Amino acid sequence: MRVLICDAIAKEAVDGLKGLGIEVVENTSVEKEELAGIIADFDGVIIRSRTKIREDLIDIAAGSVKFIIRAGVGLDNIAVEYAREKGIEVINTPEASTNGVAELAVGHMFALLRHIPQATASMKKGEWPKKKLKGNELGSCTVGIIGLGRIGRRTAELVGSLGSKVLGYDPYVKEVQGMNIKIAELDELLTCSDIVSLHLPHTDETHYLIGEEELGKMKNSAYLVNCARGGVIDEDALYKALKNEDIRGAALDVFEEEPPTDLKLMKLDNFICTPHLGAQAVESSNRVGEEVVKKVASKL
Ligand code: NAD
């Protein structure tokens, strides 16, 4: 079996694949044109979120490639249905990065509430402000979780353990057993939360779920966190809401365009960000790697 790795995965996973007797080619900077020229030489392709496999590449891969493994959760960079129609199995590792993403979302909540990035930037300029930046305790906040799947629930569990009251909205989840989450309608969640955290996929249905109207319903003192997918928030509307201080701040790990070319959000003091780091914890990557090896082994 020959497998092409297009995006970096844990070294242990690469070794694990080789240990199975698989011929592994690592080409983690491969771009679309080069990939089109080589993809049909492989039985399997492993990607993360960087590499996009759309219909045109699937047409070339069909008949040779038997599986595409998305090391991670989101399948929005693969034409999944088309691949399946063409006989290519699409596999992901949905559980492996749940905790890492949830912890990053909570990290952003702490950073927003206690102004950690702004305080760091100020001290690095040699400042020591006379009037200290006042913040809020996460445990005293109401946190609204949109999307009550794996990561949303884990985030709810983490903030719940600090004492936060948790509201949850998910049109496909009517109750969450064994967890202290009050199921709410979207409007109630937006108007009552001190922090709104997004944990849903980007689909036609969820595109711009958070736009001008929804941001307008949030408290002026509220924060927005998105560690799910760009495109769920209308970034122009977010820019206006932050600039006009309609909400107090926002943290994004994911963007409509990655890397973003429109940098106006970055210029705002009440905006903080990370470059799609949700799953980038060593423990998450190791778990993803272990899952990848197991899934490839099952194809031998
Ligand atoms: P999941 O499938 O377990 O949960 C998603 C939830 O969203 C489901 O319960 C679904 O019912 C809900 N949902 C669907 N449409 C909705 C809507 N209109 N409103 C509210 N909820 C809706 O997925 P997950 O593993 O929890 O992942 C959540 C998100 O995090 C995905 O977008 C995934 O791509 C993203 N993610 C980001 C990173 C990162 O690096 N930042 C890493 C992994 C996953």
Side-chain angles (χ1 to χ4, degrees):
M1 182 189 282
R2 296 192 82 220
V3 168
L4 175 65
I5 299 178
C6 301
D7 300 322
I9 58 170
K11 183 185 172 300
E12 292 75 8
V14 178
D15 293 343
L17 292 172
K18 289 178 182 165
L20 293 170
I22 292 166
E23 190 187 333
V24 179
V25 175
E26 287 180 87
N27 188 346
T28 54
S29 57
V30 68
E31 293 296 341
K32 191 179 166 188
E33 250 174 51
E34 189 192 353
L35 186 55
I38 59 174
I39 195 165
D41 299 336
F42 294 89
D43 301 288
V45 179
I46 298 172
I47 65 170
R48 294 198 70 129
S49 57
R50 184 193 72 95
T51 301
K52 313 226 172 335
I53 303 196
R54 308 279 184 224
E55 285 82 351
D56 49 355
L57 275 179
I58 287 165
D59 282 333
I60 299 168
S64 318
V65 173
K66 294 170 194 67
F67 60 88
I68 299 167
I69 296 189
R70 162 71 169 95
V73 186
L75 293 171
D76 44 343
N77 51 332
I78 306 171
V80 178
E81 288 314 316
Y82 193 72
R84 288 178 180 152
E85 276 167 29
K86 295 280 172 178
I88 300 174
E89 196 180 350
V90 180
I91 305 161
N92 62 351
T93 61
E95 302 288 346
S97 42
T98 299
N99 192 51
V101 183
E103 287 193 7
L104 184 72
V106 177
H108 273 305
M109 293 177 200
F110 281 126
L112 286 166
L113 287 166
R114 302 303 301 273
H115 317 293
I116 297 169
Q118 294 85 348
T120 304
S122 158
M123 277 196 73
K124 285 190 172 185
K125 280 196 264 168
E127 296 169 358
W128 185 265
K130 286 196 185 76
K131 190 167 171 275
K132 303 270 190 208
L133 284 167
K134 270 265 178 334
N136 294 94
E137 292 176 8
L138 181 47
S140 301
C141 290
T142 296
V143 179
I145 306 273
I146 302 185
L148 293 170
R150 289 170 291 259
I151 299 172
R153 287 177 201 218
R154 180 64 183 143
T155 306
E157 200 169 59
L158 291 173
V159 297
S161 73
L162 296 167
S164 309
K165 184 174 161 201
V166 183
L167 299 177
Y169 166 74
D170 187 321
Y172 306 102
V173 176
K174 294 294 161 227
E175 62 171 331
V176 185
Q177 283 187 344
M179 289 187 73
N180 219 353
I181 300 176
K182 179 178 178 282
I183 300 293
E185 287 306 321
L186 185 56
D187 273 9
E188 182 193 353
L189 183 146
L190 292 170
T191 49
C192 297
S193 298
D194 301 304
I195 300 170
V196 173
S197 192
L198 307 182
H199 300 285
L200 69 168
H202 180 223
T203 61
D204 288 345
E205 179 205 354
T206 65
H207 186 70
Y208 286 1
L209 183 86
I210 303 298
E212 192 179 334
E213 200 185 321
E214 292 72 24
L215 289 161
K217 287 178 182 160
M218 288 172 63
K219 296 182 190 178
N220 296 134
S221 56
Y223 294 102
L224 179 65
V225 175
N226 186 10
C227 290
R229 278 291 177 270
V232 173
I233 298 177
D234 175 349
E235 287 176 11
D236 284 332
L238 176 63
Y239 175 78
K240 283 184 203 134
L242 289 171
K243 183 119 181 101
N244 299 334
E245 297 182 10
D246 296 333
I247 62 170
R248 191 181 284 168
L252 301 190
D253 183 50
V254 287
F255 295 84
E256 282 186 70
E257 194 189 348
E258 294 186 358
T261 48
D262 180 355
L263 299 178
K264 61 179 182 288
L265 278 170
M266 314 294 160
K267 299 194 171 82
L268 298 175
D269 280 343
N270 54 356
F271 175 78
I272 64 170
C273 53
T274 43
H276 203 144
L277 292 185
Q280 298 302 319
V282 172
E283 295 78 4
S284 304
S285 301
N286 288 346
R287 249 179 261 124
V288 167
E290 283 163 20
E291 278 297 299
V292 166
V293 175
K294 266 192 223 154
K295 294 197 167 168
V296 176
S298 73
K299 303 283 153 223
L300 287 171

